[in-house]
């Protein structure tokens, strides 16, 4: 969110626990993570989450809103 809150599905997760939560939800390689990032959030935060997902061998997709 624009307040730099992280969510996995609908569960709010602290940045410190994000990797562990993604790991438990993905259940191994070949999972996928869809990033829904508020347009006001600096992209570096999306890159951070994408880096975690990639290290867990998950596919990363960035969702956008149509104009």
């Amino acid at each position: 969110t624009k307040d730099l809150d992280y969510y996995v599905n609908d569960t709010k997760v602290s940045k410190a626990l994000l990797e562990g939560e993604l790991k438990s939800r993905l259940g191994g390689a070949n999972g996928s993570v869809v990033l829904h990032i508020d347009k006001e959030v600096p992209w570096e935060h999306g890159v951070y989450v994408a880096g975690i997902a990639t290290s867990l061998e998950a596919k990363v997709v960035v969702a956008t809103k149509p104009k």
Side-chain angles (χ1 to χ4, degrees):
T1 67
K2 66 181 179 179
D3 298 322
L4 302 182
D5 293 326
Y6 294 86
Y7 287 84
V8 176
N9 295 334
D10 291 325
T11 305
K12 187 174 179 179
V13 179
S14 71
K15 188 174 181 178
L17 299 177
L18 184 61
E19 183 171 0
E21 185 67 23
L22 286 173
K23 190 173 188 176
S24 70
R25 299 269 183 133
L26 290 169
N30 299 322
S32 61
V33 173
V34 180
L35 300 176
H36 297 267
I37 304 170
D38 188 282
K39 66 182 181 180
E40 295 180 27
V41 172
W43 184 239
E44 66 191 71
H45 297 282
V47 171
Y48 172 77
V49 177
I52 292 172
T54 300
S55 73
L56 297 172
E57 299 180 34
K59 295 177 183 155
V60 179
V61 177
V62 177
T64 61
K65 290 183 181 181
K67 288 186 174 184

